[in-house]
Amino acid sequence: MKKILIVKYTPRHERSRTNILLDYYIEKKTKDANVEILDLEENVPEFFSSETLEIYYKRNYGWVELTQEETELIKKFDDYTAQFKNADEVVFAYPMFNFWMPAIIKAYIDMILQKWETWDMTSEWYVWLQKDKRIVLITSSAWKYLWTDLDSFEHNIKLFRVYEWFIWSKLEVIDAGWIAYDEENVLNKAKAEIDLL
């Protein structure tokens, strides 16, 4: 059975347009799948501290075996990474905040971008270790940024596409922009795009 991991951050809950689209996605696209939901509001990712960053570099770059105490300190990073790797498909659902992805999403991605686990490198270039994993991004914003005069303000989807190049290769984007001015049509268009996935 297909395993789908949903990584969500929709702090406005039932008022969240992103959440409306995520519920629609779950209803239409996950009937024959094993679905696991990681709500980052309830399971907040960790930021790298000086201690955990040193442990990460020690193990993932220095090939040094960790002590039990060090392993425990970086356990949440490893648990989130294993959960991500175990899924056949990962759906990210969150709104744009102030032209970027919310900090909590970036923190999660920092946790799972582990050398040897989700990516690697040779002397020549990077190696994509999750290239067969399907990634779906469902995001919403008040304005429409991409392909408009405000394109230079958009750092959310653009950054996500950097990860597409770096770690995964099958990215589908549902971009519900212009919510503040044409909500009904924007949501209907986004739902139609979900139907076509």
Side-chain angles (χ1 to χ4, degrees), residues 2-7 25 28-30 33 83-92 108 112 129-138 160 163-164 167-174 192-197:
K2 184 179 182 180
K3 295 179 181 178
I4 299 177
L5 171 63
I6 294 173
V7 181
Y25 186 92
K28 297 292 184 179
K29 297 295 177 179
T30 66
Q83 182 187 45
F84 176 85
K85 289 175 61 178
N86 193 45
D88 301 305
E89 175 180 313
V90 180
V91 179
F92 289 86
Y108 170 82
I112 65 165
L129 299 183
Q130 298 293 299
K131 63 183 180 180
D132 295 324
K133 189 182 303 297
R134 181 183 184 190
I135 305 294
V136 177
L137 169 59
I138 300 172
F160 222 83
Y163 299 137
E164 176 185 17
I167 183 173
W168 49 65
S169 60
K170 297 179 179 178
L171 175 62
E172 305 278 359
V173 177
I174 306 298
E193 291 176 0
I194 289 171
D195 290 336
L196 292 173
L197 290 179

Side-chain angles (χ1 to χ4, degrees), residues 28-114:
K28 297 292 184 179
K29 297 295 177 179
T30 66
K31 291 176 182 175
D32 298 319
N34 180 3
V35 178
E36 185 175 6
I37 297 178
L38 175 60
D39 187 335
L40 297 184
E41 190 177 10
E42 298 174 1
N43 302 281
V44 179
E46 293 182 14
F47 291 102
F48 273 117
S49 65
S50 57
E51 195 170 30
T52 55
L53 188 59
E54 183 176 344
I55 292 167
Y56 167 72
Y57 272 98
K58 175 181 176 181
R59 180 188 65 186
N60 293 56
Y61 287 87
W63 302 65
V64 177
E65 186 175 347
L66 300 182
T67 66
Q68 183 174 348
E69 181 182 0
E70 290 171 329
T71 300
E72 284 299 314
L73 285 172
I74 205 168
K75 184 178 186 302
K76 193 169 186 179
F77 290 77
D78 292 342
D79 288 347
Y80 276 27
T81 302
Q83 182 187 45
F84 176 85
K85 289 175 61 178
N86 193 45
D88 301 305
E89 175 180 313
V90 180
V91 179
F92 289 86
Y94 62 85
M96 176 195 280
F97 282 176
N98 301 315
F99 315 117
W100 294 81
M101 62 177 60
I104 202 167
I105 297 292
K106 180 61 167 62
Y108 170 82
I109 292 174
D110 284 344
M111 290 179 73
I112 65 165
L113 283 180
Q114 291 207 38

